Amino acid sequence: MSFEDQVNGVGQELDELAEALQDFRLSVHGWSEAVYSRPRSSQSGTAVAPARRRSWRLAAGWALGCVLVAGSLSGGGLYEHRQQQMRIAAERVAEQQRLAAQEMARQEEEDLLAKVDSDVSRQVPSAMEPLAQLMTGDVSQ
Amino acid sequence: MAAGTALEAINMATAEEIAAEEFSAVVIKHRPQIFRFLLSSTRDVDLAETLTQECFLKAHRNWASFRGESSAMTWLMRIAINLQKDHWRNRRMQFWRHTQSHAVDMDEASEWLPSGERSAEQKLLARERVGQVAKAVERLSERQRTVFLLRYVEEMELSEIARTAGLNEGTVKAHLSRALGRVRAELGGRR
């Protein structure tokens, strides 16, 4: 093959490549325009698959929604239950504290009364005992 | 004082309205191109639509930060490429499952080749060639495919591709050269 033939061959190949690329571009443009301007619901050839996909998506969406609702409800119930438990525990602690305080007050009161009693019932000091005896004697006379 | 505040509020409202109008114009102008790129990249109509939506949603959120240093198209295409990459990276397995089940063969695009003024034989040959190119494109690496599609489908300049894909121009050339090599090999194998 001569150099000229080789050059011609390469030239022809490049022309073919350029033409193929041009046709490829036109095809992609045509395809895109057709898909872009075509209403999605009227795609006869591919309408079934997207519709099926949509129904699956819808079903999956509903299922997920139900799971989330159930989860949030049960989660909410659990939260409510926890709150109630905590309220009861708090009330129990408050009651115990109240009883302890009452007991303490009662104890203090008793101590005070005991002290008063002991003060009131205290014997006459020994230095005053002769006088007391006299008083006793006067009364007996 | 109160008049000043009211004026500021009016100015802000006007600025927001202008921004919204500008963004709407950008969406109308560039949406088909972004969709086309994502469709040719993923070969999945549903996925391309979803990613196109995400792309414009993201662009809308960041519209205030777009300073016009690059063209809106370059900026949007960059977002689209990143979304596509994230999709690959984060949901590789799911993406494959999705792609395998819903993606169409790229050579399906050859059915949309305009007939023009070709004979039946030429038309057949052209469709066959488009199919060969499509097959080669399918087999390219993600980056090679992106660069190839931006160059030969979106007809972007090399410098623009470099800015869009976040690569330097030399790397773009290298990817493009390898991609073209594959396409040539595929076309050569036909003969």
Side-chain angles (χ1 to χ4, degrees), chain A residues 13 16-17 19-21 23-32 34-36 40 53, chain B residues 31 35-36 45-46 49 102 104 109 112-113 118 129-130 148 152-153 155 184 190-191:
Chain A
E13 194 196 339
E16 269 187 30
L17 179 67
E19 205 176 326
L21 291 174
D23 285 341
F24 177 72
R25 185 178 72 80
L26 291 173
S27 296
V28 173
H29 279 237
W31 180 34
S32 172
V35 173
Y36 189 79
R40 299 287 289 124
R53 277 205 299 281
Chain B
R31 198 183 155 97
F35 173 74
R36 182 171 60 221
V45 176
D46 282 352
E49 277 178 353
H102 305 138
V104 295
W112 299 101
L113 179 66
R118 303 181 208 216
R129 272 202 302 241
V130 169
F148 180 88
Y152 292 108
V153 175
E155 296 185 295
R184 281 177 75 174
R190 187 175 54 83
R191 284 196 215 103

Side-chain angles (χ1 to χ4, degrees), chain A residues 114-131:
Chain A
K115 194 179 174 200
V116 168
D117 283 350
S118 72
D119 284 351
V120 169
S121 65
R122 191 176 155 192
Q123 285 182 340
V124 178
S126 56
M128 291 177 73
E129 265 178 21
L131 283 174

Side-chain angles (χ1 to χ4, degrees), chain A residues 15-99:
Chain A
D15 285 348
E16 269 187 30
L17 179 67
E19 205 176 326
L21 291 174
Q22 169 80 354
D23 285 341
F24 177 72
R25 185 178 72 80
L26 291 173
S27 296
V28 173
H29 279 237
W31 180 34
S32 172
E33 272 167 34
V35 173
Y36 189 79
S37 57
R38 180 166 61 187
R40 299 287 289 124
S41 55
S42 66
Q43 289 175 7
S44 57
T46 55
V48 179
R52 199 177 297 145
R53 277 205 299 281
R54 266 197 297 278
S55 66
W56 270 108
R57 279 178 198 165
L58 197 67
W62 271 104
L64 185 66
C66 289
V67 168
L68 284 174
V69 167
S72 65
L73 283 177
S74 65
L78 195 67
Y79 176 74
E80 199 63 35
H81 179 69
R82 282 242 176 101
Q83 288 289 317
Q84 202 175 353
Q85 293 279 329
M86 281 168 72
R87 255 200 314 273
I88 291 168
E91 276 170 14
R92 210 172 279 164
V93 168
E95 180 66 19
Q96 278 173 357
Q97 281 175 347
R98 194 175 61 78
L99 286 174

